[in-house]
Amino acid sequence: MTRYNAALTEAKWQKIWADSETFTATEDPTRPKYYVLEMFPYPSGKIHMGHVRNYTQGDVVARYRRAKGFNVLHPMGWDAFGMPAENAAMEHNVHPAKWTYENIAHMRGQLQQMGLSIDWSRELATCDPEYYGQEQKMFLDFLANDLVYRKESWVNWDPVDNTVLANEQVIDGCGWRSGAPVERRRLSQWFLKITDYADELNSALDELPRWPEKVRTMQKNWIGRSEGLRLFFDIDGHEPLEVYTTRPDTIFGACGMAIAADHPLAEKLAQDNPDLQKFIIECRAGATTEEAMEKMEKKGFDTGIVASTPFEDRKLPVFVANFVLMDYGTGAIFMSAAHDQRDLDFAHKYDLDVRTVIRPDDEDDSYAVGRQAYVGPGKLFNSVFLDGMTIEEAKAEVARRAEEGNFGKKTINFRLRDWGISRQRYWGCPIPIVHCDDCGIVPVPKTELPVKLPDDVGFDKPGNPLEHHPTWKNVDCPNCGKAARRETDTFDTFIDSSWYFARFCSPKSDEPVDIAAADYWLPVDQYVGGVEHAILHLLYSRFYTRAMKKVGLSSMDEPFDGLFTQGMVCHETYTDTKGKWVYPADLIHNEDGSYHEKTSGEPVTVGRSVKMSKSKKNVVDPTEIIDQYGADTARWFMLSDSPPERDLEWTEEGVEGAWRFTQRLWRTITTGMEGLTAVQKPAKFSKAAQDLRRICHVSIDSIGRDIEDFHFNNTVAQIYKFSNAIAAFKPDGSDGDAFALNESLTVLVQLVAPMMPHLAEEMWQLMGMPGIVTDTLWPTAQPELMQENSVTIAIQVKGKLKDTIEVAKDMDKAEVEKLALARERIQNAVGDNPIRKVIVVHNRIVNIVI
RNA sequence: GCGUCUGUGGUGAAAUUGGUAAACACAACAGACUUAAAAUCUGUCGGCCGCAAGGCCUUGCCGGUUCAAGUCCGGCCAGACGCACCA
């Protein structure tokens, strides 16, 4: 028997699909649509196993939905702007555009080798001027609609890459890429008003049932909604100080005020206080990472001025403190020592008055906190008009009185901050703005878009190449015509990925989106990607969709109806005798299970399995796997065993197993086909044929549901069961057996097609079936064929399994009970004990209680 | 510190959502075929006791609810991820 030749067969069907434009999608109002999208890749050079897993999962869904009769959109593009291209330019003297487009060409070929059902006619790269020009146009719409502003602010500055870094790009106080200690700088930056939508972005999460709970909570935490009170404290000789608090109930326990180093009051007081000035500078130089801040000593500077508490005649010292953040709340707080650990530590350090005002229910009025702040529930005391109230009642009462007295206001506060989008880099979308000495900030007229990146840039000098370009930034003001300067900052690349899913609906449109096309396709029905984008990309996209709606470019709020986050692909790590990482491909397996290095022959230590990464060299090149085993085998292994949301351990044995199954499936189907002729459905079936038809229809049913629920590992297991049953089936020559086998072979090919599309097409053709299996409707499970006519019932005595009996399905409870009690094993187990109760669960179990 | 999730054989895992724990694989072992190897096929495969029939135990740990718990409830332990001086 011939072996299945994956290389030839896969190339053959990929060509047929491409030539007949099988996956080209067009709007068709008569059919239900289904938009499947995987997060588009950064064109780093070549695809990795994470991509293979991600795109295989998406492709199974796309092909399945197609078979279910949906009009499927399944596009692919490239998140093509970003620093790596500039680094390549600096290191290898290659232009970022050349580097990027060459990578795209290579990676496109790799993805096509995987046999994905992608509509390549919609392909886009975010570095195409046709794409980023539309992005610029949309930015001008945002600007005109009050969604954008420019503000001077403190930023994380990477002195090596010479650019602003987002907070999440700063790791341990150093730039994530350069490793250089990050500096704080004050710069004028463009911001998008994501905070306008903070409340909505938060509450709408509850209406995304097809998103993982985990991602929704992560976004909730990130948005950080809190309900509290803004409260004014009078200060002699100064404006009243506004603080934000979520614990107004502890007001009578207030022991002092603390304001941020960047607070206007602090700056004002510092003007004639050199020591305070020094302290403020110290604070600003302080660490920027969370970890460092946590360890940082809580320091305060007593300004000498005092604030008056609102409800009583008490003076509180005002500190400038290094732990108060200017951009959260109002940049000022009142400290309540007894009921906040940090405040308590601070009070002890600076010898402030600790007043306990809340006591647990099992304490009396002599209760006072020690070294440990009390943050639990309880009743107010030592608190004048709040005495005896619960915390919630006290909060409400303070708010009521403060609002009545006009020195406070209930507010909802968010942790989320506006999105700073300016980057001082070349390889990004230019911000379409001109700076004119007379007219100020002038948008580039839409007719002059796109503002294209210049090709002739150098990367020899540090800093922004656009800044160094001799002529590019010199333009005439679009408003007054005088000489002016182009903005040389580019967009954060997260902007590019915040709307690409919408662009896919009409990738050639002269407007950012064609509303009719977007209305047909959006929202994305199933989005698939890594959980590392749980906050940034997914939150930005949700905001962007709302911003687009505001300017008339979208009809909806939520871009992604269903979200699935897949796990990582992991591999064992290997180190040589010098502790250096070794590639798995450079290993030789010893007889005893250990390894040695291929060329040097040195022994190698096996380390724990972690996410595949170039730095640890625990990577396997997908191309080598596909060349050796074929795409179908690689896809099959990606779907086997591990649930898709969990990490997948890549093993040589696993791929071998998948490869053996590919061959076995080929054998099972080709052997089954031998001498098989089409027969009419007969009236009677043998027992064996009935059994085969049962597993056939059960498979149709369960595999469909498992694909819809992303339980691909169960899908794979069911295919194993089904094909094992077919392989074991020996037709007796009757029409019934021939029919059952024929039916099962056809169905098996259809069920396996979303996972192993090439093999399925080849089989479909060999079986002489019409058309291609990709365009064939999913088979229908017939419930009456799935039924068994007998069931195995477990018999327990006192909850422990003692016996099983085979009875007719739906047998009467009393009859089942009688049969169960008659069993010898049961009688032995029961013995002389009186039977207190017998529980019979229909078609399932009998439990005898003694 | 707060939040979310996970914990089942040598391994990846499954379990109709409270009803026979370990489906389906991987690895291992034994056998068949072969001059041999590969490939393929057959069988065994959670633990303990037993020649066997069979018995007992077993889903991180402790307790609870229930006729019945991997599944529900309470407490603990371990690990992963996210957030974190957030007032």
Side-chain angles (χ1 to χ4, degrees):
Chain A
M1 173 174 300
T2 51
R3 281 175 53 114
Y4 172 63
N5 187 325
L8 278 180
T9 309
E10 292 183 354
K12 167 184 160 185
W13 288 103
Q14 283 162 19
K15 183 165 190 308
I16 291 172
W17 292 329
D19 289 350
S20 49
E21 296 180 9
T22 303
F23 304 117
T24 305
T26 45
E27 288 96 80
D28 174 1
T30 64
R31 280 198 295 159
K33 65 90 186 179
Y34 203 88
Y35 185 175
V36 186
L37 185 66
E38 298 95 52
M39 291 179 185
F40 66 164
Y42 177 79
S44 56
K46 49 186 185 179
I47 63 167
H48 52 69
M49 283 299 175
H51 291 129
V52 176
R53 194 175 192 203
N54 189 192
Y55 300 134
T56 299
Q57 291 177 0
D59 200 47
V60 171
V61 174
R63 286 176 177 274
Y64 169 74
R65 290 289 170 179
R66 182 187 182 86
K68 290 292 273 187
F70 288 91
N71 187 22
V72 170
L73 174 60
H74 188 209
M76 180 58 72
W78 310 94
D79 189 13
F81 274 137
M83 273 305 284
E86 286 190 58
N87 294 332
M90 285 182 260
E91 284 162 32
H92 306 115
N93 196 29
V94 52
H95 194 278
K98 185 174 187 299
W99 183 84
T100 303
Y101 281 106
E102 281 176 4
N103 286 350
I104 288 175
H106 183 238
M107 290 171 74
R108 183 193 301 117
Q110 290 186 299
L111 291 183
Q112 285 169 342
Q113 259 201 307
M114 280 180 63
L116 304 172
S117 61
I118 301 267
D119 178 359
W120 286 102
S121 72
R122 292 172 187 258
E123 180 184 359
L124 58 83
T126 57
C127 63
D128 297 337
E130 297 75 33
Y131 184 85
Y132 71 71
Q134 299 299 335
E135 190 167 296
Q136 293 168 339
K137 205 186 276 182
M138 203 157 31
F139 176 78
L140 297 181
D141 287 342
F142 287 3
L143 187 64
N145 281 274
D146 199 28
L147 284 158
V148 182
Y149 64 96
R150 198 170 163 79
K151 182 182 84 170
E152 192 168 88
S153 71
W154 289 103
V155 295
N156 305 306
W157 181 261
D158 186 320
V160 171
D161 281 351
N162 283 291
T163 186
V164 167
L165 295 177
N167 285 335
E168 51 280 356
Q169 291 165 340
V170 180
I171 298 151
D172 291 335
C174 298
W176 66 289
R177 211 201 58 79
S178 69
V182 165
E183 297 166 5
R184 299 227 311 159
R185 280 202 187 180
R186 229 175 144 77
L187 281 182
S188 260
Q189 299 273 294
W190 288 103
F191 286 85
L192 287 182
K193 284 189 179 171
I194 191 170
T195 55
D196 277 6
Y197 295 88
D199 210 5
E200 206 188 316
L201 288 168
N202 181 66
S203 58
L205 286 168
D206 296 331
E207 279 132 57
L208 291 171
R210 293 185 55 231
W211 277 43
E213 183 70 41
K214 178 183 167 160
V215 174
R216 286 186 282 161
T217 13
M218 279 165 72
Q219 291 209 356
K220 287 212 163 189
N221 290 340
W222 184 264
I223 296 167
R225 182 183 193 274
S226 70
E227 290 178 12
L229 188 67
R230 279 177 187 244
L231 203 54
F232 287 93
F233 285 70
D234 287 329
I235 299 176
D236 291 342
H238 297 277
E239 294 283 298
L241 182 63
E242 187 183 12
V243 306
Y244 173 72
T245 179
T246 55
R247 293 301 301 272
D249 52 309
T250 64
I251 185 71
F252 289 99
C255 66
M257 316 294 291
I259 61 174
D262 294 327
H263 195 280
L265 177 62
E267 285 174 1
K268 194 171 144 201
L269 292 169
Q271 279 166 13
D272 41 38
N273 188 339
D275 288 341
L276 178 54
Q277 200 148 22
K278 220 179 110 199
F279 181 76
I280 289 173
I281 290 166
E282 245 174 67
C283 291
R284 282 182 189 159
T288 44
T289 66
E290 293 99 41
E291 203 190 340
M293 281 194 282
E294 184 60 28
K295 287 181 196 133
M296 192 171 70
E297 197 189 349
K298 312 284 184 277
K299 277 197 262 186
F301 184 97
D302 191 344
T303 59
I305 62 170
V306 290
S308 312
T309 51
F311 297 111
E312 53 183 339
D313 188 24
R314 205 151 62 84
K315 302 292 182 194
L316 302 174
V318 178
F319 287 83
V320 174
N322 65 351
F323 58 84
V324 179
L325 307 169
M326 189 55 221
D327 44 11
Y328 184 80
T330 61
I333 59 169
F334 80 78
M335 291 181 284
S336 192
H339 306 290
D340 181 290
Q341 194 57 46
R342 187 199 56 209
D343 293 351
L344 184 62
D345 295 343
F346 192 88
H348 284 137
K349 183 166 180 179
Y350 293 98
D351 203 22
L352 305 178
D353 196 13
V354 179
R355 294 166 167 241
T356 307
V357 293
I358 294 165
R359 54 172 177 77
D361 287 338
D362 54 356
E363 294 279 353
D364 61 25
D365 284 357
S366 64
Y367 176 70
V369 302
R371 287 270 143 192
Q372 198 76 41
Y374 181 70
V375 294
K379 291 263 166 47
L380 273 286
F381 72 122
N382 293 339
S383 294
V384 192
F385 55 81
L386 299 176
D387 283 354
M389 290 186 185
T390 65
I391 292 172
E392 286 315 309
E393 288 163 354
K395 280 181 181 174
E397 181 62 14
V398 172
R400 194 184 64 77
R401 290 192 186 227
E403 286 188 334
E404 212 172 76
N406 230 1
F407 53 87
K409 178 115 191 66
K410 273 167 86 169
T411 17
I412 291 162
N413 198 59
F414 296 93
R415 207 187 69 94
L416 185 70
R417 294 168 213 167
D418 276 336
W419 177 14
I421 53 169
S422 303
R423 295 292 180 273
Q424 292 69 39
R425 296 310 321 168
Y426 166 72
W427 196 234
C429 172
I431 299 177
I433 293 290
V434 170
H435 297 272
C436 172
D437 288 338
D438 290 351
C439 310
I441 287 164
V442 184
V444 175
K446 282 190 178 178
T447 51
E448 290 174 28
L449 296 180
V451 176
K452 282 197 192 175
L453 287 169
D455 283 333
D456 51 336
V457 281
F459 294 90
D460 43 342
K461 274 185 273 184
N464 184 351
L466 287 178
E467 190 76 39
H468 302 142
H469 192 281
T471 55
W472 187 76
K473 67 181 166 190
N474 302 322
V475 284
D476 295 336
C477 171
N479 204 21
C480 68
K482 284 209 295 192
R485 276 163 298 106
R486 224 183 246 302
E487 167 104 26
T488 54
D489 285 355
T490 50
F491 284 142
D492 180 359
T493 54
F494 274 107
I495 298 237
D496 311 333
S497 53
S498 291
W499 70 287
Y500 77 107
F501 47 87
R503 183 69 183 169
F504 274 139
C505 302
S506 51
K508 310 279 193 295
S509 173
D510 293 333
E511 292 300 317
V513 293
D514 175 327
I515 289 287
D519 280 351
Y520 178 77
W521 291 114
L522 289 176
V524 173
D525 296 278
Q526 186 61 63
Y527 199 31
V528 189
V531 74
E532 65 273 18
H533 296 108
I535 295 169
L536 296 174
H537 162 59
L538 289 167
L539 188 62
Y540 290 152
S541 298
R542 295 180 62 224
F543 157 66
Y544 229 79
T545 307
R546 285 170 169 80
M548 286 167 75
K549 188 180 179 188
K550 187 175 182 186
V551 302
L553 289 170
S554 168
S555 311
M556 55 210 69
D557 292 326
E558 290 294 340
F560 312 122
D561 188 48
L563 172 70
F564 186 84
T565 52
Q566 100 270 13
M568 299 179 298
V569 181
C570 298
H571 196 286
E572 278 182 339
T573 47
Y574 308 99
T575 43
D576 64 16
T577 45
K578 295 179 204 78
K580 284 196 174 167
W581 302 110
V582 181
Y583 286 108
D586 294 337
L587 296 178
I588 304 279
H589 214 134
N590 298 328
E591 294 243 321
D592 62 357
S594 64
Y595 295 96
H596 68 265
E597 216 265 316
K598 200 188 277 177
T599 44
S600 67
E602 281 195 47
V604 162
T605 314
V606 180
R608 67 189 213 108
S609 179
V610 294
K611 181 189 179 180
M612 282 190 181
S613 73
K614 276 186 216 158
S615 62
K616 293 198 172 67
K617 294 193 176 175
N618 60 337
V619 288
V620 175
D621 185 353
T623 305
E624 285 176 22
I625 298 299
I626 291 173
D627 286 346
Q628 194 177 347
Y629 301 101
D632 283 340
T633 295
R635 292 166 62 117
W636 186 255
F637 176 59
M638 281 297 166
L639 299 165
S640 310
D641 292 346
S642 288
E645 70 279 8
R646 264 191 241 177
D647 288 352
L648 173 101
E649 168 79 5
W650 179 276
T651 61
E652 192 61 27
E653 295 79 21
V655 192
E656 291 281 350
W659 164 243
R660 280 199 299 272
F661 180 70
T662 310
Q663 293 295 345
R664 199 158 94 219
L665 196 59
W666 159 271
R667 276 197 310 275
T668 302
I669 297 171
T670 47
T671 317
M673 278 161 49
E674 276 169 22
L676 198 67
T677 46
V679 289
Q680 290 295 308
K681 184 177 168 187
K684 285 202 101 140
F685 287 96
S686 67
K687 174 78 168 63
Q690 281 178 39
D691 288 343
L692 185 64
R693 296 194 77 198
R694 180 176 318 112
I695 189 165
C696 176
H697 285 266
V698 165
S699 297
I700 297 170
D701 182 57
S702 71
I703 288 175
R705 275 184 289 114
D706 282 336
I707 291 177
E708 286 172 29
D709 295 341
F710 272 78
H711 295 155
F712 304 129
N713 51 326
N714 292 358
T715 302
V716 166
Q718 188 62 35
I719 293 281
Y720 270 110
K721 285 183 205 171
F722 186 24
S723 78
N724 287 348
I726 293 175
F729 183 70
K730 300 284 174 269
D732 62 4
S734 68
D735 278 4
D737 279 16
F739 181 89
L741 182 56
N742 218 339
E743 178 188 39
S744 288
L745 289 172
T746 315
V747 167
L748 176 65
V749 168
Q750 287 181 274
L751 298 186
V752 90
M755 296 174 274
M756 297 206 212
H758 311 89
L759 180 81
E761 289 292 8
E762 188 69 11
M763 294 290 98
W764 195 253
Q765 191 180 51
L766 278 174
M767 290 164 84
M769 298 300 288
I772 57 173
V773 69
T774 301
D775 279 338
T776 305
L777 278 180
W778 196 253
T780 308
Q782 293 170 252
E784 66 276 12
L785 296 179
M786 290 157 58
Q787 309 283 337
E788 300 233 29
N789 41 28
S790 69
V791 288
T792 309
I793 296 206
I795 310 169
Q796 298 179 333
V797 176
K798 277 207 302 189
K800 287 197 192 293
L801 182 72
K802 293 293 172 188
D803 201 0
T804 58
I805 44 169
E806 181 106 357
V807 301
K809 192 167 186 290
D810 297 328
M811 184 185 271
D812 184 69
K813 278 190 180 185
E815 208 170 329
V816 172
E817 180 177 334
K818 213 170 89 189
L819 285 172
L821 289 169
R823 303 286 289 187
E824 194 187 331
R825 286 190 191 177
I826 298 307
Q827 294 192 343
N828 289 342
V830 172
D832 297 335
N833 300 296
I835 292 170
R836 292 180 17 216
K837 204 197 236 180
V838 178
I839 285 140
V840 183
V841 181
H842 185 64
N843 283 342
R844 197 141 282 168
I845 206 164
V846 178
N847 192 9
I848 296 152
V849 190
I850 53 174

